[in-house]
Amino acid sequence: MMRVLVVDDDFMVAKVHSGYVRGIPDCEVVGVAHTGADAITLAAELRPDLVLLDVYLPDMSGLDVLRRLRTGEPADPFVLLITAADDAATVAAALHGGATHYLVKPFESRALRAQVDRVRQLRGQLAGLDRAGGGELTQNAIDRIFGGRDGPMPKGLTRPTAELVAQVLREHDGDLSAAECAELARLSRVSARRYLEHFVAGGTVTVRLRYGGTGRPERRYRWAGT
């Protein structure tokens, strides 16, 4: 069971995110905090596996909370930043502070589920290392844990096409929709979106929703990796 602590200053947003978590199999919300101080206290008391952490909190920055939670100890929780902040400095601070990933509000429930599944996979891999009693690891095993390029691709995706989509994003100044990326990469929109969502799940691409007119908001993708 994945035990999750939800941290957000907005009571309604915290309620929505808690609902997303409860909709994920084998996940439970063990606590909700609306301030940084409460987040630190509850994390120490409840020992969650994952913390969904907002940046904009009334008493301190979520980045300060992140540094308090990520001490370098094996028992530290995984931390997923969930915030409206989409500036490069905040993203960089989250990365250097040890955040597992970064979701920009608003987002769809499936985006959160992809990150929870990723944390679940990482926990399983690390638990496997503990059961094995440590020892030397191959580079491929380390790549799988750190999400390296040599890890396995999801079924139906290929490394060359992934590199093509990544190149399009890296070379574009700004964000792209799936349709725009597909046109530049000469792929179908459906195929481009699959690769884009794969990169989002892996943390190398960020996504935001652009509202306007009628219908569903447009998903816009920006390269955030190296």
Short mmCIF file of all heavy atoms in Angstrom, two decimals, residues 158-222:
data_model
loop_
_atom_site.label_atom_id
_atom_site.label_comp_id
_atom_site.label_asym_id
_atom_site.label_seq_id
_atom_site.Cartn_x
_atom_site.Cartn_y
_atom_site.Cartn_z
N THR A 158 9.75 3.08 -29.51
CA THR A 158 11.11 2.72 -29.91
C THR A 158 12.07 3.83 -29.55
O THR A 158 11.70 5.01 -29.50
CB THR A 158 11.19 2.46 -31.43
OG1 THR A 158 10.94 3.69 -32.13
CG2 THR A 158 10.18 1.41 -31.86
N ARG A 159 13.31 3.45 -29.30
CA ARG A 159 14.32 4.42 -28.91
C ARG A 159 14.59 5.47 -30.00
O ARG A 159 14.66 6.67 -29.69
CB ARG A 159 15.62 3.69 -28.56
CG ARG A 159 16.73 4.57 -28.01
CD ARG A 159 16.45 5.01 -26.60
NE ARG A 159 16.28 3.88 -25.72
CZ ARG A 159 15.83 3.97 -24.47
NH1 ARG A 159 15.48 5.15 -23.99
NH2 ARG A 159 15.70 2.90 -23.72
N PRO A 160 14.75 5.10 -31.27
CA PRO A 160 15.01 6.12 -32.30
C PRO A 160 13.91 7.18 -32.41
O PRO A 160 14.21 8.37 -32.55
CB PRO A 160 15.13 5.30 -33.59
CG PRO A 160 15.54 3.95 -33.14
CD PRO A 160 14.83 3.74 -31.84
N THR A 161 12.65 6.74 -32.35
CA THR A 161 11.56 7.71 -32.44
C THR A 161 11.52 8.59 -31.19
O THR A 161 11.23 9.79 -31.27
CB THR A 161 10.21 7.00 -32.63
OG1 THR A 161 10.30 6.15 -33.78
CG2 THR A 161 9.09 8.01 -32.84
N ALA A 162 11.82 8.00 -30.05
CA ALA A 162 11.87 8.78 -28.81
C ALA A 162 12.95 9.86 -28.91
O ALA A 162 12.74 11.01 -28.50
CB ALA A 162 12.14 7.87 -27.62
N GLU A 163 14.08 9.51 -29.49
CA GLU A 163 15.16 10.48 -29.66
C GLU A 163 14.73 11.59 -30.62
O GLU A 163 15.08 12.76 -30.44
CB GLU A 163 16.42 9.79 -30.19
CG GLU A 163 17.07 8.82 -29.20
CD GLU A 163 17.73 9.55 -28.04
OE1 GLU A 163 17.87 10.79 -28.11
OE2 GLU A 163 18.11 8.89 -27.06
N LEU A 164 13.96 11.25 -31.65
CA LEU A 164 13.48 12.23 -32.60
C LEU A 164 12.55 13.23 -31.92
O LEU A 164 12.69 14.46 -32.09
CB LEU A 164 12.76 11.54 -33.75
CG LEU A 164 12.06 12.44 -34.78
CD1 LEU A 164 13.06 13.36 -35.46
CD2 LEU A 164 11.31 11.59 -35.80
N VAL A 165 11.60 12.73 -31.15
CA VAL A 165 10.66 13.60 -30.44
C VAL A 165 11.41 14.47 -29.43
O VAL A 165 11.14 15.67 -29.29
CB VAL A 165 9.56 12.78 -29.76
CG1 VAL A 165 8.67 13.67 -28.89
CG2 VAL A 165 8.72 12.05 -30.80
N ALA A 166 12.38 13.88 -28.73
CA ALA A 166 13.16 14.64 -27.76
C ALA A 166 13.93 15.76 -28.45
O ALA A 166 14.02 16.88 -27.94
CB ALA A 166 14.13 13.70 -27.03
N GLN A 167 14.49 15.47 -29.62
CA GLN A 167 15.23 16.49 -30.36
C GLN A 167 14.33 17.66 -30.77
O GLN A 167 14.72 18.82 -30.67
CB GLN A 167 15.88 15.88 -31.60
CG GLN A 167 16.71 16.87 -32.41
CD GLN A 167 17.34 16.22 -33.63
OE1 GLN A 167 17.23 15.01 -33.83
NE2 GLN A 167 18.00 17.01 -34.44
N VAL A 168 13.13 17.33 -31.22
CA VAL A 168 12.18 18.38 -31.60
C VAL A 168 11.89 19.30 -30.41
O VAL A 168 11.89 20.53 -30.54
CB VAL A 168 10.87 17.75 -32.13
CG1 VAL A 168 9.77 18.81 -32.24
CG2 VAL A 168 11.11 17.10 -33.49
N LEU A 169 11.66 18.72 -29.25
CA LEU A 169 11.35 19.51 -28.06
C LEU A 169 12.56 20.34 -27.61
O LEU A 169 12.42 21.51 -27.24
CB LEU A 169 10.90 18.61 -26.92
CG LEU A 169 9.49 18.02 -27.04
CD1 LEU A 169 9.24 17.05 -25.90
CD2 LEU A 169 8.44 19.11 -27.02
N ARG A 170 13.74 19.71 -27.62
CA ARG A 170 14.94 20.42 -27.17
C ARG A 170 15.23 21.63 -28.04
O ARG A 170 15.70 22.66 -27.56
CB ARG A 170 16.14 19.47 -27.16
CG ARG A 170 16.18 18.50 -26.00
CD ARG A 170 17.55 17.87 -25.86
NE ARG A 170 17.88 17.08 -27.04
CZ ARG A 170 17.72 15.77 -27.12
NH1 ARG A 170 17.23 15.10 -26.09
NH2 ARG A 170 18.05 15.11 -28.21
N GLU A 171 14.99 21.50 -29.34
CA GLU A 171 15.36 22.56 -30.28
C GLU A 171 14.28 23.63 -30.41
O GLU A 171 14.52 24.65 -31.06
CB GLU A 171 15.65 21.95 -31.65
CG GLU A 171 16.88 21.04 -31.66
CD GLU A 171 17.14 20.41 -33.01
OE1 GLU A 171 16.26 20.55 -33.90
OE2 GLU A 171 18.20 19.78 -33.18
N HIS A 172 13.12 23.41 -29.80
CA HIS A 172 12.03 24.39 -29.92
C HIS A 172 12.06 25.35 -28.75
O HIS A 172 12.16 24.95 -27.59
CB HIS A 172 10.68 23.68 -29.96
CG HIS A 172 9.54 24.61 -30.20
ND1 HIS A 172 9.25 25.16 -31.43
CD2 HIS A 172 8.62 25.14 -29.34
CE1 HIS A 172 8.21 25.94 -31.34
NE2 HIS A 172 7.81 25.96 -30.07
N ASP A 173 11.99 26.64 -29.03
CA ASP A 173 11.99 27.67 -28.00
C ASP A 173 10.57 27.89 -27.51
O ASP A 173 9.80 28.66 -28.08
CB ASP A 173 12.57 28.97 -28.55
CG ASP A 173 12.69 30.05 -27.47
OD1 ASP A 173 12.65 29.69 -26.28
OD2 ASP A 173 12.81 31.24 -27.82
N GLY A 174 10.20 27.19 -26.45
CA GLY A 174 8.85 27.28 -25.93
C GLY A 174 8.22 25.91 -25.86
O GLY A 174 8.90 24.88 -25.95
N ASP A 175 6.90 25.87 -25.67
CA ASP A 175 6.22 24.58 -25.58
C ASP A 175 5.49 24.26 -26.87
O ASP A 175 5.30 25.12 -27.74
CB ASP A 175 5.27 24.54 -24.38
CG ASP A 175 4.28 25.70 -24.38
OD1 ASP A 175 4.00 26.25 -25.46
OD2 ASP A 175 3.79 26.07 -23.30
N LEU A 176 5.10 22.99 -26.99
CA LEU A 176 4.44 22.50 -28.20
C LEU A 176 3.24 21.65 -27.83
O LEU A 176 3.24 20.98 -26.79
CB LEU A 176 5.40 21.62 -29.02
CG LEU A 176 6.58 22.29 -29.74
CD1 LEU A 176 7.54 21.22 -30.26
CD2 LEU A 176 6.09 23.15 -30.89
N SER A 177 2.23 21.68 -28.67
CA SER A 177 1.13 20.73 -28.53
C SER A 177 1.55 19.42 -29.19
O SER A 177 2.55 19.36 -29.93
CB SER A 177 -0.12 21.27 -29.22
OG SER A 177 0.07 21.31 -30.63
N ALA A 178 0.78 18.36 -28.97
CA ALA A 178 1.08 17.08 -29.60
C ALA A 178 0.99 17.21 -31.12
O ALA A 178 1.80 16.63 -31.86
CB ALA A 178 0.12 16.01 -29.09
N ALA A 179 0.02 17.98 -31.61
CA ALA A 179 -0.14 18.16 -33.05
C ALA A 179 1.04 18.89 -33.66
O ALA A 179 1.54 18.53 -34.74
CB ALA A 179 -1.44 18.91 -33.35
N GLU A 180 1.52 19.93 -32.97
CA GLU A 180 2.66 20.69 -33.48
C GLU A 180 3.93 19.85 -33.47
O GLU A 180 4.72 19.87 -34.42
CB GLU A 180 2.85 21.95 -32.63
CG GLU A 180 1.75 22.97 -32.81
CD GLU A 180 1.76 24.04 -31.74
OE1 GLU A 180 2.39 23.81 -30.67
OE2 GLU A 180 1.14 25.09 -31.95
N CYS A 181 4.12 19.07 -32.40
CA CYS A 181 5.27 18.18 -32.32
C CYS A 181 5.20 17.12 -33.41
O CYS A 181 6.22 16.80 -34.05
CB CYS A 181 5.33 17.53 -30.94
SG CYS A 181 6.75 16.45 -30.70
N ALA A 182 4.02 16.58 -33.64
CA ALA A 182 3.84 15.55 -34.67
C ALA A 182 4.21 16.09 -36.05
O ALA A 182 4.86 15.40 -36.85
CB ALA A 182 2.39 15.06 -34.67
N GLU A 183 3.81 17.34 -36.33
CA GLU A 183 4.12 17.93 -37.63
C GLU A 183 5.62 18.11 -37.82
O GLU A 183 6.17 17.80 -38.88
CB GLU A 183 3.41 19.27 -37.77
CG GLU A 183 3.63 19.95 -39.12
CD GLU A 183 2.87 21.25 -39.26
OE1 GLU A 183 2.12 21.61 -38.33
OE2 GLU A 183 3.04 21.92 -40.30
N LEU A 184 6.30 18.59 -36.77
CA LEU A 184 7.74 18.81 -36.86
C LEU A 184 8.52 17.50 -36.95
O LEU A 184 9.55 17.42 -37.62
CB LEU A 184 8.22 19.62 -35.65
CG LEU A 184 7.73 21.07 -35.58
CD1 LEU A 184 8.09 21.68 -34.23
CD2 LEU A 184 8.35 21.89 -36.71
N ALA A 185 8.02 16.46 -36.26
CA ALA A 185 8.71 15.17 -36.26
C ALA A 185 8.24 14.25 -37.38
O ALA A 185 8.77 13.15 -37.56
CB ALA A 185 8.50 14.47 -34.92
N ARG A 186 7.19 14.70 -38.12
CA ARG A 186 6.60 13.90 -39.20
C ARG A 186 6.07 12.57 -38.68
O ARG A 186 6.34 11.50 -39.23
CB ARG A 186 7.60 13.70 -40.34
CG ARG A 186 8.03 15.00 -41.00
CD ARG A 186 8.92 14.79 -42.20
NE ARG A 186 9.26 16.06 -42.82
CZ ARG A 186 10.01 16.19 -43.91
NH1 ARG A 186 10.51 15.10 -44.50
NH2 ARG A 186 10.27 17.38 -44.41
N LEU A 187 5.31 12.68 -37.58
CA LEU A 187 4.66 11.53 -36.99
C LEU A 187 3.16 11.80 -36.93
O LEU A 187 2.71 12.92 -37.13
CB LEU A 187 5.18 11.29 -35.55
CG LEU A 187 6.66 10.99 -35.36
CD1 LEU A 187 7.00 11.04 -33.88
CD2 LEU A 187 7.01 9.63 -35.95
N SER A 188 2.38 10.78 -36.63
CA SER A 188 0.96 11.00 -36.38
C SER A 188 0.80 11.68 -35.03
O SER A 188 1.66 11.54 -34.14
CB SER A 188 0.20 9.67 -36.39
OG SER A 188 0.53 8.90 -35.24
N ARG A 189 -0.30 12.40 -34.85
CA ARG A 189 -0.52 13.09 -33.58
C ARG A 189 -0.62 12.08 -32.44
O ARG A 189 -0.10 12.31 -31.34
CB ARG A 189 -1.79 13.93 -33.65
CG ARG A 189 -2.01 14.80 -32.41
CD ARG A 189 -3.38 15.44 -32.42
NE ARG A 189 -4.42 14.43 -32.33
CZ ARG A 189 -4.81 13.86 -31.19
NH1 ARG A 189 -4.23 14.19 -30.05
NH2 ARG A 189 -5.76 12.95 -31.19
N VAL A 190 -1.29 10.97 -32.67
CA VAL A 190 -1.45 9.96 -31.63
C VAL A 190 -0.10 9.40 -31.21
O VAL A 190 0.19 9.24 -30.02
CB VAL A 190 -2.37 8.82 -32.12
CG1 VAL A 190 -2.39 7.67 -31.11
CG2 VAL A 190 -3.79 9.34 -32.35
N SER A 191 0.76 9.12 -32.18
CA SER A 191 2.08 8.58 -31.88
C SER A 191 2.92 9.60 -31.13
O SER A 191 3.56 9.28 -30.12
CB SER A 191 2.79 8.18 -33.18
OG SER A 191 4.07 7.66 -32.89
N ALA A 192 2.90 10.85 -31.58
CA ALA A 192 3.68 11.90 -30.91
C ALA A 192 3.23 12.05 -29.47
O ALA A 192 4.06 12.18 -28.56
CB ALA A 192 3.53 13.22 -31.66
N ARG A 193 1.93 12.02 -29.26
CA ARG A 193 1.43 12.20 -27.89
C ARG A 193 1.87 11.05 -26.99
O ARG A 193 2.18 11.27 -25.81
CB ARG A 193 -0.09 12.31 -27.88
CG ARG A 193 -0.65 12.42 -26.47
CD ARG A 193 -1.98 13.09 -26.42
NE ARG A 193 -2.45 13.20 -25.05
CZ ARG A 193 -3.43 13.98 -24.66
NH1 ARG A 193 -4.07 14.73 -25.53
NH2 ARG A 193 -3.81 14.02 -23.40
N ARG A 194 1.93 9.83 -27.49
CA ARG A 194 2.38 8.70 -26.67
C ARG A 194 3.81 8.93 -26.19
O ARG A 194 4.14 8.68 -25.02
CB ARG A 194 2.30 7.40 -27.45
CG ARG A 194 0.90 6.87 -27.67
CD ARG A 194 0.94 5.43 -28.15
NE ARG A 194 1.52 4.55 -27.15
CZ ARG A 194 2.01 3.34 -27.41
NH1 ARG A 194 2.00 2.87 -28.65
NH2 ARG A 194 2.52 2.59 -26.45
N TYR A 195 4.67 9.41 -27.09
CA TYR A 195 6.05 9.67 -26.70
C TYR A 195 6.13 10.85 -25.74
O TYR A 195 6.91 10.82 -24.76
CB TYR A 195 6.92 9.93 -27.94
CG TYR A 195 7.25 8.66 -28.69
CD1 TYR A 195 6.47 8.24 -29.76
CD2 TYR A 195 8.33 7.87 -28.31
CE1 TYR A 195 6.77 7.07 -30.44
CE2 TYR A 195 8.64 6.70 -28.99
CZ TYR A 195 7.85 6.30 -30.05
OH TYR A 195 8.14 5.13 -30.72
N LEU A 196 5.34 11.88 -25.98
CA LEU A 196 5.34 13.03 -25.09
C LEU A 196 4.91 12.65 -23.68
O LEU A 196 5.53 13.07 -22.69
CB LEU A 196 4.42 14.12 -25.66
CG LEU A 196 4.90 14.79 -26.94
CD1 LEU A 196 3.78 15.62 -27.56
CD2 LEU A 196 6.12 15.65 -26.68
N GLU A 197 3.87 11.83 -23.57
CA GLU A 197 3.40 11.42 -22.26
C GLU A 197 4.41 10.48 -21.58
O GLU A 197 4.54 10.47 -20.35
CB GLU A 197 2.03 10.74 -22.37
CG GLU A 197 0.91 11.67 -22.78
CD GLU A 197 0.64 12.75 -21.77
OE1 GLU A 197 0.98 12.58 -20.57
OE2 GLU A 197 0.08 13.81 -22.16
N HIS A 198 5.13 9.71 -22.39
CA HIS A 198 6.21 8.88 -21.84
C HIS A 198 7.29 9.75 -21.21
O HIS A 198 7.78 9.48 -20.10
CB HIS A 198 6.81 8.01 -22.94
CG HIS A 198 8.13 7.39 -22.58
ND1 HIS A 198 8.26 6.44 -21.59
CD2 HIS A 198 9.39 7.60 -23.09
CE1 HIS A 198 9.54 6.08 -21.49
NE2 HIS A 198 10.23 6.77 -22.38
N PHE A 199 7.64 10.85 -21.90
CA PHE A 199 8.64 11.76 -21.35
C PHE A 199 8.13 12.47 -20.11
O PHE A 199 8.89 12.73 -19.17
CB PHE A 199 9.05 12.79 -22.41
CG PHE A 199 9.90 12.24 -23.52
CD1 PHE A 199 9.65 12.58 -24.84
CD2 PHE A 199 10.95 11.39 -23.24
CE1 PHE A 199 10.45 12.08 -25.86
CE2 PHE A 199 11.75 10.88 -24.25
CZ PHE A 199 11.49 11.24 -25.57
N VAL A 200 6.84 12.81 -20.08
CA VAL A 200 6.25 13.44 -18.90
C VAL A 200 6.36 12.51 -17.70
O VAL A 200 6.74 12.92 -16.60
CB VAL A 200 4.77 13.81 -19.16
CG1 VAL A 200 4.08 14.24 -17.87
CG2 VAL A 200 4.68 14.94 -20.20
N ALA A 201 6.02 11.24 -17.91
CA ALA A 201 6.10 10.26 -16.82
C ALA A 201 7.53 10.08 -16.33
O ALA A 201 7.76 9.82 -15.15
CB ALA A 201 5.54 8.91 -17.29
N GLY A 202 8.49 10.23 -17.24
CA GLY A 202 9.89 10.06 -16.87
C GLY A 202 10.54 11.30 -16.29
O GLY A 202 11.67 11.25 -15.81
N GLY A 203 9.83 12.43 -16.34
CA GLY A 203 10.35 13.65 -15.72
C GLY A 203 11.19 14.53 -16.62
O GLY A 203 11.71 15.55 -16.16
N THR A 204 11.35 14.17 -17.91
CA THR A 204 12.17 15.00 -18.79
C THR A 204 11.35 16.04 -19.56
O THR A 204 11.92 16.89 -20.23
CB THR A 204 12.95 14.13 -19.80
OG1 THR A 204 12.02 13.29 -20.51
CG2 THR A 204 13.98 13.28 -19.10
N VAL A 205 10.03 15.95 -19.47
CA VAL A 205 9.15 16.90 -20.13
C VAL A 205 8.09 17.35 -19.14
O VAL A 205 7.55 16.55 -18.38
CB VAL A 205 8.48 16.27 -21.37
CG1 VAL A 205 7.33 17.15 -21.89
CG2 VAL A 205 9.50 16.08 -22.49
N THR A 206 7.82 18.66 -19.12
CA THR A 206 6.74 19.19 -18.30
C THR A 206 5.55 19.48 -19.20
O THR A 206 5.69 19.68 -20.40
CB THR A 206 7.15 20.49 -17.58
OG1 THR A 206 7.52 21.48 -18.55
CG2 THR A 206 8.33 20.24 -16.66
N VAL A 207 4.36 19.49 -18.61
CA VAL A 207 3.16 19.73 -19.40
C VAL A 207 2.28 20.74 -18.65
O VAL A 207 2.23 20.74 -17.43
CB VAL A 207 2.38 18.41 -19.63
CG1 VAL A 207 1.92 17.79 -18.33
CG2 VAL A 207 1.19 18.63 -20.56
N ARG A 208 1.65 21.62 -19.41
CA ARG A 208 0.69 22.55 -18.83
C ARG A 208 -0.56 22.53 -19.69
O ARG A 208 -0.52 22.13 -20.86
CB ARG A 208 1.26 23.97 -18.77
CG ARG A 208 1.45 24.65 -20.12
CD ARG A 208 2.00 26.06 -19.97
NE ARG A 208 2.19 26.71 -21.26
CZ ARG A 208 1.26 27.42 -21.89
NH1 ARG A 208 0.05 27.56 -21.34
NH2 ARG A 208 1.50 27.97 -23.06
N LEU A 209 -1.66 22.96 -19.12
CA LEU A 209 -2.92 23.01 -19.84
C LEU A 209 -3.20 24.45 -20.26
O LEU A 209 -3.12 25.37 -19.45
CB LEU A 209 -4.07 22.49 -18.97
CG LEU A 209 -3.95 21.05 -18.48
CD1 LEU A 209 -5.19 20.66 -17.69
CD2 LEU A 209 -3.74 20.08 -19.64
N ARG A 210 -3.52 24.64 -21.55
CA ARG A 210 -3.88 25.97 -22.05
C ARG A 210 -5.37 25.99 -22.34
O ARG A 210 -5.88 25.22 -23.15
CB ARG A 210 -3.08 26.32 -23.32
CG ARG A 210 -3.36 27.75 -23.79
CD ARG A 210 -2.40 28.17 -24.90
NE ARG A 210 -2.70 27.49 -26.16
CZ ARG A 210 -2.02 27.69 -27.29
NH1 ARG A 210 -0.98 28.52 -27.28
NH2 ARG A 210 -2.34 27.05 -28.39
N TYR A 211 -6.07 26.90 -21.66
CA TYR A 211 -7.51 27.00 -21.81
C TYR A 211 -7.85 28.08 -22.83
O TYR A 211 -7.15 29.07 -22.98
CB TYR A 211 -8.17 27.34 -20.47
CG TYR A 211 -8.03 26.24 -19.45
CD1 TYR A 211 -6.89 26.15 -18.66
CD2 TYR A 211 -9.02 25.28 -19.29
CE1 TYR A 211 -6.74 25.13 -17.72
CE2 TYR A 211 -8.89 24.27 -18.35
CZ TYR A 211 -7.76 24.20 -17.58
OH TYR A 211 -7.61 23.19 -16.65
N GLY A 212 -8.94 27.89 -23.53
CA GLY A 212 -9.40 28.87 -24.50
C GLY A 212 -10.48 28.29 -25.37
O GLY A 212 -10.36 27.17 -25.86
N GLY A 213 -11.55 29.06 -25.57
CA GLY A 213 -12.63 28.57 -26.41
C GLY A 213 -13.40 27.46 -25.74
O GLY A 213 -13.48 27.37 -24.51
N THR A 214 -13.96 26.59 -26.53
CA THR A 214 -14.76 25.48 -26.00
C THR A 214 -13.97 24.18 -26.09
O THR A 214 -12.94 24.10 -26.74
CB THR A 214 -16.06 25.34 -26.81
OG1 THR A 214 -15.74 25.10 -28.18
CG2 THR A 214 -16.90 26.61 -26.70
N GLY A 215 -14.48 23.17 -25.43
CA GLY A 215 -13.83 21.86 -25.47
C GLY A 215 -12.77 21.72 -24.40
O GLY A 215 -12.59 22.57 -23.52
N ARG A 216 -12.03 20.63 -24.48
CA ARG A 216 -11.01 20.32 -23.49
C ARG A 216 -9.81 21.23 -23.64
O ARG A 216 -9.47 21.66 -24.75
CB ARG A 216 -10.57 18.85 -23.63
CG ARG A 216 -11.71 17.86 -23.41
CD ARG A 216 -11.22 16.45 -23.60
NE ARG A 216 -10.20 16.08 -22.63
CZ ARG A 216 -9.57 14.92 -22.62
NH1 ARG A 216 -9.86 14.00 -23.53
NH2 ARG A 216 -8.67 14.64 -21.70
N PRO A 217 -9.11 21.55 -22.54
CA PRO A 217 -7.91 22.38 -22.65
C PRO A 217 -6.81 21.66 -23.41
O PRO A 217 -6.74 20.43 -23.42
CB PRO A 217 -7.51 22.61 -21.18
CG PRO A 217 -8.11 21.47 -20.44
CD PRO A 217 -9.40 21.16 -21.15
N GLU A 218 -5.95 22.43 -24.04
CA GLU A 218 -4.86 21.87 -24.84
C GLU A 218 -3.65 21.59 -23.95
O GLU A 218 -3.25 22.43 -23.14
CB GLU A 218 -4.47 22.85 -25.94
CG GLU A 218 -3.35 22.36 -26.84
CD GLU A 218 -2.95 23.38 -27.89
OE1 GLU A 218 -2.65 24.52 -27.51
OE2 GLU A 218 -2.94 23.04 -29.08
N ARG A 219 -3.06 20.41 -24.10
CA ARG A 219 -1.85 20.05 -23.37
C ARG A 219 -0.63 20.58 -24.12
O ARG A 219 -0.46 20.29 -25.31
CB ARG A 219 -1.75 18.53 -23.18
CG ARG A 219 -2.83 18.00 -22.26
CD ARG A 219 -2.85 16.49 -22.19
NE ARG A 219 -1.70 15.91 -21.51
CZ ARG A 219 -1.57 15.84 -20.20
NH1 ARG A 219 -2.51 16.35 -19.42
NH2 ARG A 219 -0.51 15.28 -19.65
N ARG A 220 0.22 21.34 -23.43
CA ARG A 220 1.40 21.94 -24.03
C ARG A 220 2.65 21.36 -23.36
O ARG A 220 2.76 21.33 -22.13
CB ARG A 220 1.39 23.46 -23.85
CG ARG A 220 0.13 24.16 -24.32
CD ARG A 220 0.06 24.24 -25.83
NE ARG A 220 1.21 24.94 -26.41
CZ ARG A 220 1.35 25.16 -27.71
NH1 ARG A 220 0.42 24.72 -28.57
NH2 ARG A 220 2.40 25.79 -28.17
N TYR A 221 3.60 20.90 -24.15
CA TYR A 221 4.76 20.18 -23.65
C TYR A 221 6.04 21.00 -23.83
O TYR A 221 6.24 21.64 -24.86
CB TYR A 221 4.91 18.84 -24.40
CG TYR A 221 3.71 17.95 -24.30
CD1 TYR A 221 2.67 18.07 -25.24
CD2 TYR A 221 3.59 16.99 -23.30
CE1 TYR A 221 1.54 17.24 -25.15
CE2 TYR A 221 2.47 16.17 -23.21
CZ TYR A 221 1.45 16.30 -24.15
OH TYR A 221 0.35 15.49 -24.06
N ARG A 222 6.90 20.94 -22.81
CA ARG A 222 8.18 21.64 -22.85
C ARG A 222 9.29 20.72 -22.33
O ARG A 222 9.10 20.03 -21.32
CB ARG A 222 8.12 22.90 -21.99
CG ARG A 222 9.44 23.71 -21.97
CD ARG A 222 9.39 24.79 -20.91
NE ARG A 222 8.43 25.82 -21.24
CZ ARG A 222 8.72 26.92 -21.94
NH1 ARG A 222 9.96 27.12 -22.34
NH2 ARG A 222 7.80 27.81 -22.19
#
